[in-house]
Amino acid sequence: MKMSFSHLISQCSLLGLLLFLLAIVNAVPKSEEYKTYIVHMDHTHKPTSFLTHESWHRSILKSLLSSPANDDDKELLLYSYSHVMHGFSARLTPSQLAEIEESPAHLATFPGSTGKLTTTYSPKFLGLQQNFGIWPAASYGEDVIVGIIDSGIWPERESFNDEGMSPVPQRWKGECENGTAFSPSYCNRKLIGARSFSKGIRAKGHDISKEEEFDSARDFVGHGSHTASTAVGNYVPGVSHFGYARGTAVGVAPRAHLAVYKVAWLKGQVELPDVIAGMEQAILDGVDIMSLSLNFHGQIPYFADAIAKGSLSAVEKGIFVVCSAGNDYDFGTVTNAAPWIATVGAGTLDRSFHATMTLGNGVPIEGTSYFPESVFITDKPLYYAKGNLSKAICNDKALDIKDVSGKVVLCDYSTNITTSQQILEVQRAGAFAAIFLTDASFSLYAEKYYIPSLILPTASGTLVKEYVTKVRNPKVKDMRFVLTRYGTKPAPQVANYSSRGPSPVSPGVLKPDILAPGDDVVAAVAPTIPYIQVGKYNLSSDYQLMSGTSMATPHVAGVGALLKSIHPKWSPAAIRSAIMTTAYAEDNTGTVFKSQLLDLESASPLEFGAGHINPNKAMDPGLIYDMGLQDYIEFLCGLGYTKKQMSVILRQTQWSCSNKSIHDLNYPSFMAVLQTKTRYPVTMKFSRVVTNVGNNKAAVYRAHLENIPTGLRISVKPRTLTFTRKYQTRSFVVSVELDKEFPFVIYGFLKWVDQDSHIVSSPIVAISL
């Protein structure tokens, strides 16, 4: 077939044009991909023609010239914010974002990021009693509203019944939303608000309605129900957790009202726009306490930290904000460390779960076990592969089924394999039960006990190994499980996973603030998620054990609710101060808390803050270190932020900075930060103001310095503070002098003591970075 030259040219031109257009089409989606952003706007630029901030924000997005033609109907706006911040979150392309950033009203933009969720014996461990102390004084938290920003609620749990509850406070503005498997009828005088926020997670491409999830405030994960139950759970008799705990379950503030804001989806995924929206709504609804057991990766400046910014807005409105310190195991990993937040680390309880075993020779052995069934094993063969290292340590695929099936297997300690790996191998090979020898702390979490198992330290395991290697037919005479012991020593300890200070953002503020029960806490959960697999069966429960700073946080939120009930006019800083200055730092052996992370060496305030929370003492602290918004403004000025960065945090265009010293933030702790090039000796001064809140109008406090190590000299002027009336203030200055370089951290305590046995304690810490 013949083709004319002109026709060939036209065909080639068309081909070239198509290739050119194809290249453009392929390039555009990659560079113009939609992402979620948090956009801060200067609200003073809002035209008066717009009645609301949201209408202004929608107008801005609608007028974008760079919006693709086929995206006219696409909903860009996720949330409009006017309380936690001024601005909005939206799905934007880079071109759209660039266009917004050219506006004179634009202040800052931050990407929407993904975070993670970070629990009834603990009230008794905290000293809470029906007829003594803070519980009756606070009427158990009556009329206080606690907002839990988490993964939602399972409303049918008995912890959320409204028996004995007071009517819903008239000031409450919240509501219970209708949604998947959730009706407003589930709310009552206990659960007075329930909302969900999912636009952020949907913007990531997840269709909640089609996922294994509830598109409502109902809790699919169980985390939110657990934290809510811990903070304010109502009285529930006869609770059990596979035999771990039998008796009564109750939260820290059982008569407080509960409002939940679901921001965590898909087994714990948290998107920043949803969290900000939840915080915004909690402020609007009128909560008194805000609890967030979640954090976002990395430590970033406060002007870029959405939780820090939102919390400052809440604190400004009188809301006590409590956040988890994080579960990142190491020093310098603490999150949610803004000085207006109460930052909580996790401690252990004096309760242990164990099992007993009697060998065939009659020798009794006891070890740790979380196996959840009350089984009683008798006369089972005991197997140990002496002479074969791989089998002796129960290495992966090393055991023969014919050797171990139906027997109790002894697995030796090895640094090359974890106990979690060993139990999988023993289970694979068909063992009936197992004994693991290990000196590694926290070798097996509760949900990993797939078969009856016992954890023994290698020292105790010596008796077992001697028996199994010297007897021809070794046996286990009996094994008993699901045994609980109280009064375990030492306790509390700093949990190994609990994030430690200092905060890289502001190391001059000691964080975490406080330690609270966070390890193996029992509380209500969603029954939809299996807790543990035993054999072929997945077991669920209405109440489960959970560990983490997530579990410690609601304890402090609950205590905050009790204090708010007793002292309704106290500021959030006053509540935190009372909690911190009445904390204790010695365990039940009379020594400074041990650190699980450091193999039970002594911990420092970088791990436990001011100490472990003591609710009964906190209701009458004697003195408080109070603060307001201006104090935090001075602190932020001292960090050297630009005017635009300050405006983003404060949601204001005008503020005053008269004292920029971050050392003089009126904090209930003292932190001296020394750099490696510091020339010694060096002296640092800290100014503080305390307010007399004791019932005795006339009070005289004298300074006592305790546990001051060699090389650290501390002086206090004046050493006596005299008060003649309640709410009177007095100032003092602490001078910290260091003679020479020192290891990473040294510390002591300043304690103000009066004639009425008030002890107002503050840690004084020096760190060398």
Side-chain angles (χ1 to χ4, degrees):
M1 185 175 87
K2 292 184 178 181
M3 184 180 294
S4 68
F5 181 74
S6 60
H7 183 71
L8 181 62
I9 291 295
S10 63
Q11 289 293 313
C12 290
S13 299
L14 180 59
L15 179 62
L17 178 61
L18 289 172
L19 290 173
F20 175 72
L21 292 173
L22 182 61
I24 292 177
V25 169
N26 288 335
V28 167
K30 188 173 182 180
S31 61
E32 291 293 274
E33 179 183 356
Y34 280 94
K35 292 184 178 180
T36 302
Y37 298 94
I38 313 296
V39 182
H40 289 259
M41 304 294 286
D42 184 345
H43 66 102
T44 63
H45 285 257
K46 180 179 74 69
T48 56
S49 57
F50 294 105
L51 298 179
T52 66
H53 286 85
E54 182 176 344
S55 60
W56 178 41
H57 299 155
R58 288 189 180 278
S59 175
I60 292 170
L61 295 173
K62 197 170 183 178
S63 65
L64 293 174
L65 299 175
S66 54
S67 294
N70 61 347
D71 282 346
D72 285 343
D73 297 328
K74 191 178 289 291
E75 181 65 64
L76 300 180
L77 183 70
L78 300 180
Y79 301 102
S80 179
Y81 312 112
S82 57
H83 289 81
V84 292
M85 58 170 271
H86 287 304
F88 56 88
S89 57
R91 293 174 62 258
L92 300 168
T93 66
S95 296
Q96 292 170 329
L97 177 60
E99 195 172 335
I100 292 172
E101 290 178 332
E102 291 177 359
S103 167
H106 175 265
L107 286 175
T109 299
F110 301 101
S113 56
T114 301
K116 57 184 178 181
L117 297 170
T118 10
T119 216
T120 290
Y121 169 67
S122 53
K124 184 177 180 180
F125 181 72
L126 292 175
L128 299 174
Q129 300 178 42
Q130 287 189 349
N131 300 312
F132 170 80
I134 195 171
W135 256 1
S139 299
Y140 303 89
E142 188 171 290
D143 291 335
V144 178
I145 303 170
V146 177
I148 304 288
I149 298 176
D150 209 294
S151 65
I153 193 77
W154 195 269
E156 292 89 350
R157 291 285 73 85
E158 277 298 303
S159 288
F160 311 123
N161 77 77
D162 65 354
E163 182 180 350
M165 291 294 300
S166 61
V168 178
Q170 290 187 353
R171 69 183 188 280
W172 176 243
K173 300 181 181 67
E175 63 181 56
C176 286
E177 293 178 341
N178 196 33
T180 305
F182 197 96
S183 163
S185 63
Y186 284 121
C187 287
N188 53 29
R189 289 177 299 175
K190 178 61 161 186
L191 178 62
I192 64 173
R195 300 175 184 259
S196 66
F197 302 86
S198 60
K199 292 180 181 178
I201 194 78
R202 293 175 194 273
K204 283 291 184 75
H206 298 287
D207 185 349
I208 301 300
S209 63
K210 295 181 180 179
E211 299 275 1
E212 190 181 15
E213 178 65 86
F214 297 110
D215 188 4
S216 67
R218 183 172 288 279
D219 183 8
F220 185 80
V221 180
H223 191 275
S225 298
H226 203 286
T227 55
S229 173
T230 302
V232 300
N234 210 342
Y235 179 88
V236 182
V239 168
S240 67
H241 169 74
F242 303 146
Y244 289 153
R246 298 188 185 278
T248 300
V250 65
V252 175
R255 289 294 180 261
H257 301 284
L258 171 65
V260 297
Y261 302 86
K262 181 176 178 178
V263 299
W265 305 86
L266 307 179
K267 299 183 179 179
Q269 186 172 333
V270 184
E271 295 299 329
L272 194 54
D274 298 331
V275 174
I276 302 173
M279 297 176 75
E280 169 100 354
Q281 193 62 57
I283 293 172
L284 285 168
D285 288 347
V287 303
D288 300 305
I289 313 291
M290 189 183 294
S291 179
L292 297 96
S293 289
L294 50 87
N295 59 71
F296 289 82
H297 286 293
Q299 293 116 331
I300 54 179
Y302 297 132
F303 60 80
D305 185 335
I307 291 181
K309 290 178 288 191
S311 297
L312 183 57
S313 301
V315 166
E316 185 182 355
K317 293 172 176 61
I319 300 170
F320 180 58
V321 181
V322 191
C323 294
S324 54
N327 303 326
D328 289 322
Y329 285 83
D330 208 351
F331 289 91
T333 62
V334 63
T335 58
N336 298 322
W340 45 87
I341 293 172
T343 311
V344 188
T348 65
L349 299 163
D350 66 344
R351 175 184 60 192
S352 59
F353 302 111
H354 62 282
T356 61
M357 171 179 65
T358 306
L359 299 174
N361 60 3
V363 174
I365 303 288
E366 182 180 295
T368 299
S369 181
Y370 288 82
F371 184 71
E373 293 187 318
S374 185
V375 296
F376 182 39
I377 297 172
T378 58
D379 294 322
K380 286 291 180 181
L382 178 59
Y383 172 86
Y384 175 65
K386 180 184 178 182
N388 186 319
L389 179 60
S390 186
K391 290 185 177 182
I393 66 171
C394 302
N395 211 347
D396 184 41
K397 297 180 181 178
L399 298 176
D400 291 333
I401 295 177
K402 64 179 184 297
D403 292 335
V404 305
S405 180
K407 298 179 181 179
V408 179
V409 177
L410 175 64
C411 298
D412 217 341
Y413 177 50
S414 172
T415 57
N416 296 324
I417 185 171
T418 66
T419 310
S420 296
Q421 293 170 308
Q422 287 177 321
I423 197 170
L424 288 173
E425 171 59 12
V426 172
Q427 181 190 34
R428 181 200 64 81
F432 193 86
I435 304 163
F436 302 101
L437 307 185
T438 177
D439 289 328
S441 300
F442 329 103
S443 50
L444 197 61
Y445 288 104
E447 64 271 18
K448 301 297 183 182
Y449 281 75
Y450 306 123
I451 63 173
S453 304
L454 186 65
I455 306 291
L456 293 178
T458 55
S460 301
T462 301
L463 294 173
V464 184
K465 287 178 68 174
E466 287 180 357
Y467 168 73
V468 75
T469 54
K470 292 181 179 179
V471 175
R472 176 170 294 183
N473 295 307
K475 284 191 173 185
V476 170
K477 186 177 181 181
D478 61 62
M479 292 180 81
R480 297 173 183 267
F481 290 88
V482 197
L483 303 174
T484 306
R485 174 175 291 123
Y486 300 95
T488 302
K489 296 182 178 181
Q493 301 169 25
V494 181
N496 63 324
Y497 49 79
S498 187
S499 290
R500 275 81 172 157
S503 165
V505 182
S506 53
V509 178
L510 177 63
K511 290 287 182 171
D513 292 309
I514 198 74
L515 204 67
D519 211 48
D520 290 340
V521 178
V522 182
V525 293
T528 51
I529 301 298
Y531 174 69
I532 188 173
Q533 180 181 349
V534 176
K536 297 179 181 179
Y537 300 99
N538 290 319
L539 301 185
S540 298
S541 173
D542 293 345
Y543 292 81
Q544 293 178 5
L545 289 173
M546 285 191 182
S547 296
T549 55
S550 281
M551 311 312 74
T553 300
H555 283 92
V556 178
V559 173
L562 297 175
L563 292 174
K564 186 74 173 178
S565 180
I566 298 173
H567 306 286
K569 294 184 179 180
W570 274 13
S571 69
I575 293 174
R576 184 186 55 226
S577 174
I579 288 172
M580 291 176 65
T581 61
T582 57
Y584 62 95
E586 291 186 352
D587 61 29
N588 55 7
T589 69
T591 59
V592 172
F593 296 149
K594 301 294 189 299
S595 170
Q596 289 187 335
L597 182 70
L598 302 177
D599 293 325
L600 300 188
E601 291 183 10
S602 293
S604 78
L606 292 180
E607 300 173 80
F608 57 73
H612 193 283
I613 194 167
N614 186 342
N616 290 322
K617 291 285 187 182
M619 72 172 175
D620 181 22
L623 303 176
I624 56 170
Y625 295 76
D626 206 358
M627 283 186 283
L629 179 62
Q630 184 59 36
D631 297 276
Y632 299 127
I633 291 175
E634 302 284 359
F635 168 80
L636 292 167
C637 292
L639 294 178
Y641 291 159
T642 66
K643 184 176 180 179
K644 183 171 283 191
Q645 291 166 344
M646 289 286 289
S647 184
V648 165
I649 303 171
L650 300 176
R651 300 166 296 110
Q652 302 175 12
T653 56
Q654 300 292 327
W655 57 86
S656 172
C657 288
S658 57
N659 179 9
K660 297 183 180 181
S661 174
I662 56 177
H663 294 156
D664 294 339
L665 180 69
N666 203 39
Y667 218 73
S669 56
F670 303 82
M671 188 82 157
V673 181
L674 287 303
Q675 305 298 328
T676 54
K677 295 182 180 179
T678 299
R679 296 182 64 180
Y680 293 87
V682 63
T683 301
M684 301 177 71
K685 294 182 182 293
F686 302 84
S687 298
R688 295 290 190 271
V689 177
V690 287
T691 303
N692 177 28
V693 294
N695 292 324
N696 191 343
K697 297 178 182 179
V700 177
Y701 285 84
R702 290 180 171 82
H704 293 259
L705 297 170
E706 295 184 4
N707 296 9
I708 308 302
T710 303
L712 176 64
R713 289 203 295 272
I714 299 173
S715 63
V716 183
K717 292 183 179 180
R719 292 190 63 92
T720 300
L721 302 177
T722 302
F723 299 89
T724 58
R725 64 181 186 275
K726 196 171 184 178
Y727 305 121
Q728 191 175 14
T729 61
R730 287 288 182 261
S731 303
F732 65 91
V733 175
V734 172
S735 296
V736 177
E737 184 176 351
L738 294 144
D739 295 334
K740 58 184 178 180
E741 290 187 21
F742 57 94
F744 175 46
V745 57
I746 55 175
Y747 66 94
F749 292 91
L750 165 63
K751 297 185 178 182
W752 291 103
V753 183
D754 76 345
Q755 71 276 18
D756 292 330
S757 301
H758 289 115
I759 300 175
V760 187
S761 178
S762 294
I764 301 176
V765 185
I767 58 171
S768 179
L769 297 180

